[in-house]
Amino acid sequence: WGGGVSVPAGRGPLVFHGGYDRRESEDLSIPGFAESELLRAQEEEKGGEAHEEEEEAFGVLPNSAVETTSGTVGASYVGHSGFFGASWTGFDTLYGVPGGHSHEEHADEEGPVRIDLRQRRVDVRGARTEPFGAFRAAKVRFGVTDYEHQELEGEEVGTLFLNDAWEGRFELLHKPLGALTGSLGLQLASRDFEAIGEEAFVPPTQTRAYALFAFEEVGQGTWRGQFGGRFEHQNVKALGDVDLERSFGGVSGSAGLVYRGSGSFGSVASPAIVWTFV
């Protein structure tokens, strides 16, 4: 079952939004045994009497239940020359991981494996739509994410995964330069990852990245050309017994030709011919 509520509101240049959702499902119904015929035959030969009840699971997939809750709240100011807004979003889910191992491998486990996931995110976005200087508009957005999930073995925490990240993007749309219209921008990103527990086989890592990009369109008639380019640089550092670090960059671009015609039902755009290189 599932349900939710969404509440929009506004007064003058201020607008608000709130929402909440909840979903639950029991173990999935299936048309047969939860384990394959081959696996059941192998376990019968090994004499897996301790797990006879699980071996004979029929019509249901054990440990496939899901519980999910999410909520969001946000507000924006919308004016004649642009807008600015912020939002908060929360997401929690608890779900099982069915099957995947033999019973002998799990003979000493305290319970089925489940994932307990939690994410919190804050987003800020704004734009100026009134021309200024050499530009006709500007856009900015920024987001911060706090993510974690636990691998539960029964009620015990096996491994904890943590991922803290932020990402931002700033874009300027320039005024027409002859037949050219387009934009250029900067994108930044950061991520700190860590796994904690006896089965955490990956070291903590720090990732930092930035990118510069531009996109242009030439022509305003039936035929229009489009081209763009992007340079991206990334640095990854692993923080283990021996620190390791790697940096690398990449360049990509694309070009396209678009035909815009008109028909009896209004404007028609044909598929673009696009060439991309990386």
Side-chain angles (χ1 to χ4, degrees), residues 81-83 126-133 136-140 171 173:
S81 59
F83 72 90
R128 175 168 178 169
T129 56
E130 186 175 89
F132 62 99
R136 53 191 172 89
K139 301 177 182 179
V140 62
E171 187 175 358
L173 288 70

Side-chain angles (χ1 to χ4, degrees), residues 89-168:
T89 302
F91 179 81
D92 295 335
T93 184
L94 176 65
Y95 61 93
V97 182
H101 300 278
S102 68
H103 293 308
E104 286 187 352
E105 292 174 335
H106 287 277
D108 299 326
E109 281 191 3
E110 299 182 3
V113 176
R114 297 174 299 157
I115 303 297
D116 187 1
L117 185 154
R118 173 187 177 276
Q119 178 175 285
R120 300 293 181 265
R121 182 176 175 90
V122 175
D123 286 282
V124 176
R125 180 172 294 185
R128 175 168 178 169
T129 56
E130 186 175 89
F132 62 99
F135 304 99
R136 53 191 172 89
K139 301 177 182 179
V140 62
R141 63 178 172 85
F142 183 81
V144 180
T145 302
D146 177 12
Y147 171 95
E148 69 175 52
H149 85 249
Q150 304 176 67
E151 292 185 353
L152 302 176
E153 300 174 1
E155 298 299 324
E156 298 294 327
V157 177
T159 308
L160 173 64
F161 294 88
L162 303 173
N163 193 9
D164 295 326
W166 61 263
E167 185 263 342

Side-chain angles (χ1 to χ4, degrees), residues 178-201:
L180 285 176
T181 57
S183 63
L184 63 157
L186 169 68
Q187 190 165 345
L188 303 170
S190 172
R191 184 181 72 159
D192 293 334
F193 169 81
E194 185 177 9
I196 304 171
E198 295 182 358
E199 298 182 1
F201 301 118

